[in-house]
């Protein structure tokens, strides 16, 4: 009944109704006759007439399983039979041991000790012994069952550990992206145990790509060049498993499933570029049913597999993970079926998307720097890096009902170390981040890209505990940066319904909450003071989370010290007061226009001294 109620489509509901109808027709009459027989005598003819109905239940069950594949018997036998026999068999042996201990040991022993016609004490003693034995079972299972899981590649993995390892790898292999991709393959293989892993990258993305050893299936050509999709992708990372022979569309047999997907690989990559990365699931065609939203077996021959089919079967593919960033497709990863033959779960897919996002950012940044070094040396390299860094900043602002906001960053050189971001979180919350990396230039920009990747990969799962989030960022940066490298950082979450801001300030210049002043009053503001040291210096540093309430008309100003510490020819700093006065005098001016006026005022103040440090400004007005 629950399966009928929660069925995803008409086909699933029809199958379950068939099974439920056969069950009721076969079981209910016999159950009713049995119940009536408890209170009165049932006529023999009625009993004989109901016996044929008992055959309806097994017949309908077999029909539903065989014809409509209700339980996927073929899939169950192939994927889980051995594991079930070993793991459940071990639990069955435990049950037999406990039963034997109670039946042959405990009961006779207690019966001989307690000589009483009322055996309640014996049963009480048996119950206590049962609980004692069951208390020891988890200890035994805690050691044996994980070993069984590892034997069948079903052991649990730590997503946090994997992301930490990859963060280290991205810092270590920033200049050698081919080694970075190998490391990504190793970590995925260690966590998920796929039969195959293949990574395809746009030619020229990796250094010394022409000297790599070509595989048997060395490239894949996109058929649909849509949305800036590259035409050719080269295989750059592959395991050593031997290729399996593929099947052409004319050789399709229901006993040998053909691997397919709901959309072509090229179209999916183009869609990922336009909408953001999504996983493409690949499946055996003979497990599909009409009406389920997929392609039915009878229509397989109408599909054009060509290179997609050969590619999927070559790698025993079950998932395609796109590598896209900044509106560009860099490549994709192919993951084969798990060695445990389990399907990929939601947690697996979320982890793969996070890994792909981190790898794409690092790969994009690294590939651009390598390409620049080969083309126009340092000047052209810095120009491209500046363009890439600009794309790392938010390109679209999530709409909020009670907040109007904008962010601007102006670097002192071609690339800089300032960073700001806006992240749409759950339940109408907006994450607001601003960081200032010590130093300037390429090294600071690399650390800035690493900080962005870390924040985006951790913010969704830790946004309700900002102290833990900032502590994790600090821990990662301490492990992956030199002692001289650190970052000041501010991160807050604004609640659109309550107009409250929760924040942690890690050594950053205190942002200002400027309260709306009545006519004739002086501007009244409060500073959001630091709640801990800078990131990247003290691994054990703890942070304090604070909360502030805002009213309509209040202004939130988050800025880097490049603005307030800007100096003119006389060595005088621009200062906080000039910033507050300018914003207070702006009235109801649009927040983006306020930032423009501020930068113009700073430029006029410093005069010929010029900009010496990166300047970043986030301006937000509460509505």
């Amino acid at each position: 009944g629950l399966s009928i109620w929660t069925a995803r489509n008409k086909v699933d509901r029809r199958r379950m109704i068939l099974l439920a109808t056969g069950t009721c027709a076969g079981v209910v009459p016999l159950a009713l006759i049995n119940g009536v027989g408890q209170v009165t005598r049932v006529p023999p003819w009625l009993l004989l007439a109901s016996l044929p109905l008992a055959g309806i239940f097994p017949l309908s069950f077999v029909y539903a399983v065989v014809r409509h594949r209700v339980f996927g018997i073929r899939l169950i036998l192939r994927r889980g039979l051995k594991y079930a026999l070993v793991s459940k068999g071990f639990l069955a042996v435990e049950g037999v041991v406990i039963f034997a201990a109670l039946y042959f040991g405990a009961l006779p022993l207690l019966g001989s000790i307690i000589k009483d016609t009322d055996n309640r004490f014996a049963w009480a003693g048996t119950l206590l012994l049962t609980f004692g034995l069951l208390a020891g079972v988890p200890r035994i299972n805690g050691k044996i069952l994980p070993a069984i899981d590892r034997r069948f590649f079903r052991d649990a993995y730590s997503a946090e550990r994997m992301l930490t390892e990859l963060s280290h790898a991205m810092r270590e292999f920033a200049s050698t992206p081919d080694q970075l991709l190998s490391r990504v393959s190793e970590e995925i293989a260690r966590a998920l145990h796929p039969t195959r892993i293949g990574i395809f990258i746009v030619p020229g993305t990796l250094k010394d790509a022409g000297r790599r050893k070509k595989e048997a299936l060395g490239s894949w050509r996109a058929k649909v060049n849509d949305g800036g999709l590259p035409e050719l992708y080269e295989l750059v990372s592959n395991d050593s498993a031997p290729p399996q022979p593929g099947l052409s569309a004319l050789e399709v047999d229901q006993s040998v499933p053909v691997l397919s997907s709901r959309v072509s690989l090229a179209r999916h990559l183009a869609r990922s570029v336009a909408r953001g990365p999504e996983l493409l699931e690949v499946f055996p065609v003979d497990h599909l049913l009409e009406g389920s939203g997929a392609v039915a077996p009878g229509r397989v021959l109408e599909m054009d597999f060509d290179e997609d089919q050969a590619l999927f079967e070559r790698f025993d593919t079950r998932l395609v993970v796109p590598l896209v960033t900044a509106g560009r497709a860099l490549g994709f990863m192919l993951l084969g079926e798990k060695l445990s033959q389990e399907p990929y779960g939601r947690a697996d897919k979320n982890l793969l998307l996070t890994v792909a996002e981190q790898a794409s950012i690092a790969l994009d940044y690294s590939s651009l720097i390598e390409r620049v070094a080969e083309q126009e040396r340092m000047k052209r390299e810095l120009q491209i890096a500046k363009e890439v860094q600009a794309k790392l900043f938010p390109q679209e602002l999530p709409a909020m009902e009670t907040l109007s906001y904008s962010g601007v960053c102006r670097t002192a050189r071609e690339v800089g170390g300032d960073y700001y971001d806006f992240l749409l979180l759950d339940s109408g919350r907006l994450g607001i981040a601003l960081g200032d990396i010590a130093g300037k230039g390429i090294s600071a920009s690399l650390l800035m890209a690493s900080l962005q990747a870390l924040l985006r990969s951790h913010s969704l799962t830790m946004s309700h505990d900002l102290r833990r989030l900032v502590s994790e960022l600090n821990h990662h940066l301490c492990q992956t940066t030199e002692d001289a490298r650190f970052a000041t950082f501010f991160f807050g979450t604004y609640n659109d319904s309550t107009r409250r801001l929760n924040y942690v300030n890690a050594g950053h210049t205190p942002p200002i909450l400027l309260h709306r002043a009545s006519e004739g009053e002086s501007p009244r503001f409060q500073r959001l003071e630091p709640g801990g040291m800078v990131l990247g210096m003290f691994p054990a540093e703890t942070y304090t989370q604070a909360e502030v309430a805002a009213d309509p008309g209040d202004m939130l100003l988050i800025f880097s010290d490049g603005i307030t510490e800007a100096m003119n020819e006389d060595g005088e700093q621009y200062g906080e007061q000039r910033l507050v006065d300018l914003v207070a005098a702006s009235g109801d001016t649009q927040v983006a226009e306020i930032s423009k006026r501020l930068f113009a005022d700073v430029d006029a103040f410093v005069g010929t001294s010029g900009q010496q440090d990166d300047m970043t400004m986030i301006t937000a007005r509460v509505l």
Side-chain angles (χ1 to χ4, degrees):
L2 181 62
S3 297
I4 293 173
W5 179 262
T6 60
R8 294 174 296 178
N9 50 65
K10 294 181 179 179
V11 176
D12 289 343
R13 185 173 290 109
R14 185 169 62 247
R15 294 184 305 174
M16 297 311 300
I17 290 176
L18 172 64
L19 185 58
T21 303
T23 302
C24 292
V27 175
V28 171
L30 290 178
L32 291 176
I33 292 174
N34 182 66
V36 172
Q38 303 299 319
V39 295
T40 184
R41 183 175 179 275
V42 178
W45 65 266
L46 182 60
L47 182 61
L48 291 174
S50 65
L51 287 178
L53 295 176
I56 297 178
F57 168 63
L59 289 176
S60 64
F61 186 86
V62 171
Y63 179 78
V65 168
V66 175
R67 176 64 180 88
H68 293 286
R69 288 193 284 265
V70 171
F71 297 110
I73 293 298
R74 192 182 310 171
L75 195 63
I76 292 174
L77 291 177
R78 185 169 62 88
R79 286 186 171 176
L81 185 57
K82 292 181 180 178
Y83 175 76
L85 289 175
V86 175
S87 60
K88 304 306 179 185
F90 172 73
L91 295 177
V93 170
E94 283 186 326
V96 171
V97 170
I98 293 176
F99 174 79
L102 294 175
Y103 189 81
F104 297 105
L107 283 176
L109 180 61
L110 290 172
S112 63
I113 295 175
I114 305 174
K115 304 219 179 266
D116 195 334
T117 55
D118 186 357
N119 58 2
R120 289 177 298 175
F121 293 105
W123 282 112
T126 303
L127 186 62
L128 291 175
L129 182 58
T130 300
F131 281 118
L133 291 173
L134 291 178
V137 168
R139 293 180 177 271
I140 298 174
N141 291 351
K143 296 182 178 180
I144 296 180
L145 290 180
I148 294 176
D149 288 343
R150 287 192 296 270
R151 173 64 180 82
F152 288 90
F153 304 100
R154 293 170 182 250
D155 50 311
Y157 61 84
S158 170
E160 183 177 354
R161 184 205 61 80
M162 183 176 176
L163 293 174
T164 300
E165 293 292 334
L166 288 178
S167 298
H168 297 170
M170 289 173 191
R171 181 69 175 173
E172 182 180 356
F173 302 123
S175 59
T176 54
D178 51 340
Q179 296 183 36
L180 173 62
L181 292 178
S182 297
R183 185 64 175 272
V184 170
S185 298
E186 293 172 4
E187 290 294 334
I188 293 177
R190 186 180 297 118
L192 302 179
H193 305 295
T195 54
R196 310 266 176 88
I197 298 178
I199 300 181
F200 287 76
I201 297 296
V202 179
T205 303
L206 304 185
K207 187 177 181 180
D208 298 331
R211 294 200 293 268
R212 289 195 312 273
K213 179 182 177 181
K214 298 296 181 181
E215 300 286 344
L217 187 63
S219 63
W220 174 80
R221 191 173 297 276
K223 283 188 173 184
V224 182
N225 194 342
D226 186 13
L229 186 68
E231 182 181 1
L232 186 68
Y233 292 78
E234 287 186 347
L235 177 65
V236 299
S237 180
N238 181 29
D239 62 4
S240 57
Q244 293 191 5
L247 295 174
S248 66
L250 298 177
E251 296 172 335
V252 173
D253 186 330
Q254 293 301 312
S255 62
V256 181
V258 173
L259 297 178
S260 180
S261 58
R262 290 178 175 84
V263 297
S264 69
L265 177 54
R267 190 171 299 279
H268 176 75
L269 291 176
R271 188 168 64 183
S272 294
V273 170
R275 302 179 183 178
E278 298 176 359
L279 293 177
L280 177 64
E281 295 191 68
V282 181
F283 40 77
V285 173
D286 73 337
H287 290 154
L288 302 181
L289 297 168
E290 287 195 52
S292 62
V295 182
R299 299 202 300 258
V300 171
L301 296 179
E302 300 176 13
M303 296 185 64
D304 183 14
F305 291 114
D306 288 348
E307 296 171 0
D308 279 9
Q309 181 195 353
L311 188 69
F312 294 155
E313 292 177 355
R314 167 64 175 79
F315 289 91
D316 189 28
T317 307
R318 290 300 182 273
L319 280 182
V320 179
V321 186
L323 300 173
V324 298
T325 184
R328 295 195 303 121
L330 302 180
F332 56 90
M333 293 189 294
L334 301 177
L335 271 70
E337 187 176 26
K338 285 187 176 183
L339 289 173
S340 64
Q341 299 184 324
E342 292 178 297
Y344 287 93
R346 179 180 298 180
D348 300 333
K349 296 173 183 178
N350 290 339
L351 176 66
L352 289 171
L353 284 174
T354 301
V355 170
E357 182 178 11
Q358 287 196 12
S360 299
I361 292 175
L363 188 63
D364 183 43
Y365 209 83
S366 177
S367 64
L368 284 174
I369 291 178
E370 290 294 342
R371 190 162 62 241
V372 166
E374 295 173 359
Q375 294 175 357
E376 300 183 20
R377 309 286 298 178
M378 183 58 69
K379 182 178 179 179
R380 180 59 182 160
E381 175 187 11
L382 293 175
Q383 181 62 32
I384 292 182
K386 181 179 181 179
E387 297 171 2
V388 174
Q389 188 176 48
K391 293 180 179 179
L392 295 179
F393 293 114
Q395 303 299 307
E396 296 181 2
L397 304 183
M400 305 297 287
E401 294 182 1
T402 63
L403 192 71
S404 174
Y405 61 98
S406 72
V408 181
C409 177
R410 194 173 75 181
T411 59
R413 300 179 182 175
E414 285 79 3
V415 292
D418 277 10
Y419 158 67
Y420 77 92
D421 210 350
F422 302 113
L423 306 173
L424 183 60
L425 306 174
D426 59 329
S427 303
R429 295 186 304 133
L430 179 71
I432 305 174
L434 195 150
D436 187 355
I437 310 299
K440 293 180 282 292
I442 288 291
S443 59
S445 67
L446 285 173
L447 187 56
M448 170 266 199
S450 177
L451 180 60
Q452 184 213 39
L454 286 171
L455 177 63
R456 290 200 168 190
S457 63
H458 287 75
S459 58
L460 289 178
T461 57
M462 299 184 182
S463 62
H464 290 284
D465 189 350
L466 300 186
R467 292 176 299 178
R468 182 186 171 203
L469 171 62
V470 177
S471 295
E472 284 290 329
L473 298 180
N474 176 60
H475 183 71
H476 289 318
L477 290 181
C478 286
Q479 291 184 326
T480 58
T481 58
E482 301 173 356
D483 293 339
R485 291 292 179 190
F486 62 90
T488 65
F489 183 70
F490 176 90
F491 184 74
T493 57
Y494 175 80
N495 193 312
D496 202 24
S497 60
T498 63
R499 294 185 175 90
R500 300 185 76 87
L501 178 74
N502 287 278
Y503 66 92
V504 171
N505 188 343
H508 191 72
T509 302
I512 292 175
L513 181 61
L514 181 61
H515 296 285
R516 186 181 186 91
S518 302
E519 205 167 331
E521 291 184 357
S522 300
R524 182 172 56 87
F525 62 90
Q526 65 183 106
R527 299 179 180 87
L528 308 186
E529 298 291 347
M533 291 294 293
V534 298
L535 304 183
M537 294 191 68
F538 307 102
E541 178 68 15
T542 58
Y543 296 89
T544 302
Q545 177 177 332
E547 184 181 67
V548 64
D551 297 320
D554 291 353
M555 295 285 294
L556 177 63
L557 311 175
I558 311 173
F559 46 91
S560 62
D561 57 12
I563 294 177
T564 54
E565 294 179 4
M567 288 187 181
N568 60 15
E569 299 92 333
D570 300 328
E572 181 184 8
Q573 293 186 350
Y574 184 78
E576 184 182 272
Q577 190 60 49
R578 286 187 176 89
L579 170 64
V580 171
D581 291 341
L582 183 142
V583 175
S586 299
D588 295 328
T589 306
Q590 295 290 331
V591 291
E593 182 61 28
I594 293 176
S595 298
K596 292 181 181 179
R597 292 182 182 180
L598 173 64
F599 280 98
D601 192 57
V602 173
D603 290 340
F605 175 80
V606 299
T608 58
S609 296
Q611 181 179 344
Q612 301 299 318
D613 196 3
D614 302 331
M615 296 193 300
T616 303
M617 182 72 187
I618 293 178
T619 310
R621 176 183 287 116
V622 180
L623 304 178

